[in-house]
Amino acid sequence: MDSKHYNIQAGGVSSFFRACFLFIFFCYIVLKPFYIFTSGLPQPADFLFLLLLGGVILFSENRLDFNLRHTLFLLSLFAFYTLAVNSVWVVFHLEYDALMYSVFYIFNLCLFYVILKLYTAYRHYFISVLMYAVIASVLLQLI
């Protein structure tokens, strides 16, 4: 394995950004099961994720390897194919709810991208944060 993956400064992102990214990711995982608004609408955790997505896009410089980029590309093609199909459906049937399915695919594609970027940059830190976030989330749900 390449030693740069274990460096705190991986990809040129400072330890401050690493802490921010992983903290927001932790909060996202902990809050994801809790719904404040009706099902199908964005929840508070989703807004945290959008903040994280923006930060990763703006401040993360590490590159994904070819296989990960290829996988992300294929998933992007699928997500935008569903957008095209659902857009045609909306034009002919005027059922705007069909576009929400594509929004969910694109949102999940962005989530997959962020997870790949965080894992690539911070491997062991990311896995530890994910483990503790899942434990915290389960414990909060049991209370």
Side-chain angles (χ1 to χ4, degrees):
M1 289 200 192
D2 193 354
S3 63
K4 73 176 181 176
H5 290 144
Y6 302 107
N7 187 349
I8 289 177
Q9 303 279 337
V13 178
S14 71
S15 58
F16 171 75
F17 286 124
R18 179 195 63 174
C20 289
F21 292 162
L22 294 178
F23 177 74
I24 294 170
F25 181 73
F26 177 88
C27 292
Y28 172 75
I29 296 296
V30 169
L31 294 175
K32 188 63 182 162
F34 300 103
Y35 282 40
I36 293 177
F37 309 112
T38 59
S39 182
L41 294 177
Q43 302 300 324
D46 299 326
F47 295 111
L48 274 177
F49 169 72
L50 291 177
L51 177 70
L52 178 61
L53 175 65
V56 167
I57 289 172
L58 291 175
F59 299 110
S60 178
E61 298 173 359
N62 66 313
R63 290 182 46 90
L64 300 173
D65 69 20
F66 175 77
N67 291 330
L68 295 178
R69 284 194 317 266
H70 183 68
T71 302
L72 199 58
F73 174 73
L74 293 176
L75 288 172
S76 299
L77 285 179
F78 176 74
F80 288 105
Y81 172 75
T82 65
L83 180 62
V85 169
N86 289 333
S87 296
V88 169
W89 185 266
V90 166
V91 168
F92 287 111
H93 297 281
L94 297 175
E95 294 179 15
Y96 296 99
D97 292 342
L99 287 178
M100 284 306 295
Y101 303 122
S102 296
V103 170
F104 292 135
Y105 278 115
I106 293 169
F107 181 85
N108 289 330
L109 174 69
C110 292
L111 179 62
F112 185 67
Y113 168 75
V114 166
I115 288 172
L116 288 179
K117 291 287 277 189
L118 292 178
Y119 177 74
T120 301
Y122 311 121
R123 294 189 189 264
H124 296 297
Y125 294 112
F126 176 76
I127 296 298
S128 295
V129 166
L130 179 60
M131 179 186 68
Y132 289 121
V134 169
I135 291 169
S137 181
V138 169
L139 290 175
L140 279 174
Q141 291 177 63
L142 291 175
I143 294 177

